[in-house]
């Protein structure tokens, strides 16, 4: 939802008494600590720069019960500390509490800090301290770096969930089911991509859901250098054949199996995929007969 829509929806705006401020593009474990400090009439305000998002806007609501509003950074980036607080209070007249992370900065040239909020906001400013996982400070930037380097194990720990890519199911190159292994092909809906390669993970058919099954899978991300050279995000379900009826899907990445490699023949590629499938079973700690 657009934060500025509350200018016209005054009754709704009056309902909110607390707000969490930040980019919140990952909805990771540090963000979740911030959200826990909101009161029951709280809301989340994502201040958007639209650069390198871990989790695109349409998919963030799934990871919180608080309503999420979005505000373009350009609207507030030139404001000083007084103007910023006045802007919030003008839209949220009953605001009593602001929750931010310890490193929150705002305003022109990002010159203003949490103590500037405390100076001019008449309510309570709650500053959440640094969140660590095994001595690593949890930040979206670190998670992105881990994903780009293929370290899904640690990236998932910091996210608090398996990294996902979601989008429409599309047609593939047409040789998988006939000559290799049948795959579900995905069109990326704005998600950050991990390092090219083959992964063990899961596929959920349909929209984001807490109850829909996630099927174990081998997932490939990258250019199909052994076949048509085109970019693809595709997954092969392990031990199950489904007639896919859904229009979209989510791919969940658990561990990286190997790099993207070139193979001279389809036979050689198929043999390697067979080995990838075997490795995926081991990494996911499942047996073929259990699927």
């Amino acid at each position: 939802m657009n934060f500025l829509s509350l200018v016209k929806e005054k009754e709704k705006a009056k309902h909110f008494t607390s707000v969490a401020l930040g980019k919140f593009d990952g909805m990771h474990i540090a963000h979740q600590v911030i959200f826990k400090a909101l009161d029951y009439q709280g809301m989340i305000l994502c201040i958007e720069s639209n650069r390198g998002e871990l989790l695109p806007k349409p998919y963030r609501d799934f990871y919180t019960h608080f309503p999420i509003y979005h505000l373009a950074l350009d609207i507030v980036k030139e404001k000083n500390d007084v103007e910023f607080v006045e802007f919030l209070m003008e839209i949220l007249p009953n605001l009593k509490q602001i929750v931010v992370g310890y490193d929150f900065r705002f305003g022109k040239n990002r010159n203003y800090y949490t103590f500037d909020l405390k100076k001019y906001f008449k309510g309570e400013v709650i500053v959440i301290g640094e969140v660590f996982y095994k001595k690593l400070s949890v930040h979206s930037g670190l998670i992105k770096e881990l994903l780009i380097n293929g370290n899904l194990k640690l990236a998932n720990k910091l996210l608090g969930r398996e990294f996902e890519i979601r989008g429409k199911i599309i047609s593939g190159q047409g040789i998988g089911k006939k000559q290799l292994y049948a795959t579900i092909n995905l069109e990326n809906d704005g998600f950050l991509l991990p390092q090219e390669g083959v992964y063990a993970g899961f596929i959920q058919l349909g929209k984001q859901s807490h109850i829909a099954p996630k099927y174990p899978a081998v997932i490939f991300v990258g250019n199909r250098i052994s076949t048509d050279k085109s970019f693809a995000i595709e997954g092969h379900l392990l031990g199950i054949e489904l007639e896919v009826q859904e229009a979209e899907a989510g791919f969940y990445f658990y561990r990286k199996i190997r790099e993207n490699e070139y193979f001279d023949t389809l036979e050689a590629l198929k043999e390697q995929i067979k080995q990838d499938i075997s490795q995926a079973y081991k990494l996911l700690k499942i047996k073929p007969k259990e699927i």
Side-chain angles (χ1 to χ4, degrees):
M1 292 176 281
N2 188 327
F3 183 62
L4 295 182
S5 69
L6 292 174
V7 173
K8 295 182 179 179
E9 300 176 41
K10 295 186 182 298
E11 289 305 311
K12 183 182 287 188
K14 289 178 181 177
H15 169 81
F16 297 116
T17 56
S18 67
V19 62
L21 301 177
K23 187 176 181 182
F24 304 130
D25 67 321
M27 304 297 283
H28 52 61
I29 60 174
H31 293 155
Q32 298 298 330
V33 174
I34 292 174
F35 303 155
K36 285 180 180 178
L38 291 168
D39 65 26
Y40 72 99
Q41 290 179 281
M43 62 169 283
I44 297 167
L45 179 55
C46 295
I47 302 174
E48 305 287 349
S49 63
N50 295 322
R51 294 195 302 267
E53 294 179 333
L54 267 175
L55 189 63
K57 287 186 283 188
Y59 300 96
R60 295 179 199 167
D61 296 83
F62 186 74
Y63 293 105
T64 181
H65 67 275
F66 291 106
I68 299 179
Y69 286 82
H70 302 273
L71 179 69
L73 176 62
D74 287 346
I75 293 173
V76 292
K77 72 176 184 179
E78 295 298 320
K79 296 185 183 297
N80 62 31
D81 45 4
V82 176
E83 293 168 337
F84 183 79
V85 171
E86 288 178 345
F87 170 77
L88 289 178
M89 292 304 303
E90 184 178 349
I91 297 178
L92 302 174
N94 292 325
L95 190 63
K96 302 291 191 298
Q97 185 184 85
I98 295 175
V99 185
V100 292
Y102 74 99
D103 56 350
F104 180 75
R105 293 173 66 178
F106 66 98
K108 191 168 185 177
N109 299 319
R110 301 182 75 239
N111 281 339
Y112 302 99
Y113 295 76
T114 55
F115 56 79
D116 296 301
L117 276 180
K118 291 181 176 180
K119 189 187 304 182
Y120 294 105
F121 179 59
K122 294 180 180 179
E124 180 184 19
V125 176
I126 298 176
V127 181
I128 303 300
E130 199 166 5
V131 176
F132 292 91
Y133 174 79
K134 292 186 176 180
K135 299 184 179 179
L136 284 175
S137 181
V138 179
H139 289 280
S140 293
L142 175 57
I143 296 171
K144 292 172 187 176
E145 184 178 336
L146 291 167
L147 291 170
I148 290 169
N149 286 287
N151 189 343
L152 267 295
K153 182 177 181 179
L154 188 51
N156 289 344
K157 291 293 186 182
L158 304 189
L159 281 169
R161 62 181 189 275
E162 285 141 3
F163 173 72
E164 68 187 294
I165 298 175
R166 301 193 71 90
K168 291 194 302 184
I169 295 174
I170 57 175
S171 299
Q173 61 183 329
I175 68 171
K177 189 172 185 179
K178 295 177 181 178
Q179 301 180 62
L180 297 169
Y181 289 88
T183 61
I184 296 169
N185 292 263
L186 198 70
E187 180 179 81
N188 181 22
D189 191 20
F191 288 79
L192 179 79
L193 292 175
Q195 187 181 59
E196 283 199 12
V198 179
Y199 294 83
F202 303 89
I203 294 177
Q204 184 180 67
L205 300 174
K207 297 181 181 297
Q208 283 176 308
S209 170
H210 291 293
I211 59 174
K214 292 179 181 177
Y215 301 104
V218 170
I219 300 170
F220 170 77
V221 176
N223 289 300
R224 293 185 288 223
I225 54 178
S226 300
T227 55
D228 64 356
K229 310 297 189 294
S230 63
F231 179 81
I233 304 170
E234 53 188 351
H236 169 70
L237 299 177
L238 298 181
I240 187 170
E241 291 186 16
L242 293 175
E243 190 67 37
V244 178
Q245 304 292 333
E246 291 80 2
E248 62 185 86
F251 285 18
Y252 296 81
F253 294 71
Y254 180 69
R255 295 284 189 276
K256 187 173 182 182
I257 295 175
R258 64 172 174 87
E259 304 292 327
N260 190 7
E261 301 175 47
Y262 172 75
F263 296 91
D264 291 324
T265 65
L266 286 180
E267 290 76 15
L269 175 57
K270 187 171 184 177
E271 179 57 33
Q272 180 59 60
I273 296 173
K274 182 178 178 181
Q275 295 178 33
D276 297 338
I277 291 171
S278 177
Q279 184 64 16
Y281 277 121
K282 293 176 183 177
L283 289 169
L284 297 171
K285 296 182 174 61
I286 54 177
K287 297 178 181 179
K289 65 182 180 180
E290 295 176 343
I291 303 303

